[in-house]
Amino acid sequence: CTTIDRHENASKLAHGAGLNHSKVAVRGFALTAYSRLTDVTQPINVYIEGDGLAWLSRRQLSPDPTPKVAMALALAALDRAENVIYIARPCQFHDFANSSCDSAYLANSRFSEKVVDAMNQALSQLIASPHQKLNLIGYSGGAAIAVMLAARRNDVVSIRTVAGNLDHAYVNQIHKVDLMPESLNPINVADKISRLPQIHFVGVNDETIPPQVAQRFIGQQKTAHCAVIVKVDANHESGWVKMWPKLLKQSLPC
């Protein structure tokens, strides 16, 4: 019942915001997406979901990583732009009754080349026009995906991260959990995206992804004048929805 509720809650949230459901099949994944595309002359705000319920405890993987609260979807639902796309992560909103999803994509391979490439291909399939520009917005682990997509695409014009995991090796060291050797680390491409305007929203009460993670990420950019950190009265999972309409209006640097 819990799984059904998570799916239904996301569907209701998206429907209320005029976001239409779709499934994108890429590289063995069936990625869930919601979108509202009404003007091909305007850019697209692309929201990428966090890790969801990937772990039940420090040592036990979840049988279903669908988020209890789809934070990136909640933020997307508040966005009144003409064009909005939301993309869930692999294995989220998955039909586990009819097929399985490799648990490696919740753990060591969460940000693997296969995952990043699949998300990249899915995004290319979802955009209405190849000439549209993209504003990438990633929550938590979705921020890592956003950075790595920006590093390999030429249509991205800005990045916003929310409680972003921008250096998973450092974050895992903080929490004294296993590293993810099969995953790409966004901090390794930090300098490659330094030309892009970036706002990294950090929660001052976030104990999961503390503010110094974003500071380390910007510190790896040789030209960091296009990146700013904005501190928000939030923790990792609460405070963001209330503040998002105001935060989204904040002007991008450079």
Side-chain angles (χ1 to χ4, degrees):
C1 292
T2 302
T3 301
I4 294 174
D5 287 345
R6 283 181 275 169
H7 290 238
E8 288 184 349
N9 288 343
S11 180
K12 290 177 181 178
L13 180 62
H15 180 74
L19 298 169
N20 300 309
H21 176 265
S22 61
K23 284 281 189 181
V24 186
V26 283
R27 297 208 64 178
F29 299 117
L31 299 176
T32 292
Y34 290 97
S35 61
R36 182 182 66 248
L37 302 171
T38 62
D39 188 345
V40 295
T41 69
Q42 297 298 313
I44 306 173
N45 290 354
V46 179
Y47 289 77
I48 302 173
E49 190 57 77
D51 296 342
L53 189 63
W55 294 85
L56 296 179
S57 68
R58 289 171 64 92
R59 296 185 179 277
Q60 184 181 2
L61 282 166
S62 170
D64 180 359
T66 300
K68 290 182 178 179
V69 177
M71 181 64 70
L73 181 57
L75 301 183
L78 293 170
D79 192 330
R80 306 321 303 164
E82 290 86 349
N83 304 305
V84 175
I85 289 175
Y86 163 86
I87 310 178
R89 303 273 294 285
C91 304
Q92 294 177 352
F93 304 102
H94 193 76
D95 182 7
F96 288 93
N98 294 318
S99 62
S100 62
C101 194
D102 192 335
S103 62
Y105 299 115
L106 312 184
N108 285 341
S109 299
R110 192 181 307 167
F111 308 121
S112 66
E113 172 60 33
K114 180 178 178 179
V115 167
V116 176
D117 184 58
M119 297 290 287
N120 192 37
Q121 290 186 39
L123 179 54
S124 293
Q125 290 186 35
L126 288 165
I127 59 178
S129 166
H131 304 294
Q132 284 178 282
K133 300 302 181 183
L134 309 178
N135 299 305
L136 301 186
I137 303 159
Y139 166 69
S140 190
I145 300 292
V147 167
M148 290 184 284
L149 292 182
R152 60 183 65 191
R153 299 182 68 95
N154 58 16
D155 52 3
V156 176
V157 293
S158 75
I159 302 171
R160 293 176 178 86
T161 70
V162 178
N165 189 348
L166 300 171
D167 182 356
H168 61 71
Y170 178 63
V171 170
N172 286 14
Q173 287 174 358
I174 291 175
H175 295 294
K176 297 181 172 58
V177 296
D178 292 341
L179 300 182
M180 299 189 293
E182 301 302 319
S183 287
L184 305 174
N185 197 341
I187 199 169
N188 294 333
V189 295
D191 191 52
K192 190 171 182 179
I193 56 99
S194 62
R195 62 182 176 79
L196 292 174
Q198 306 159 49
I199 302 180
H200 301 288
F201 297 108
V202 300
V204 295
N205 303 311
D206 192 343
E207 297 181 355
T208 303
I209 310 288
Q212 62 262 35
V213 175
Q215 294 167 358
R216 285 170 57 90
F217 180 81
I218 291 179
Q220 289 297 307
Q221 299 183 25
K222 295 175 183 177
T223 304
H225 65 278
C226 283
V228 296
I229 294 173
V230 174
K231 295 182 178 180
V232 180
D233 185 15
N235 60 31
H236 195 65
E237 296 179 339
S238 65
W240 297 110
V241 172
K242 178 181 178 180
M243 293 292 294
W244 188 242
K246 180 180 179 180
L247 296 177
L248 189 55
K249 292 178 181 178
Q250 183 157 332
S251 298
L252 291 161
C254 78

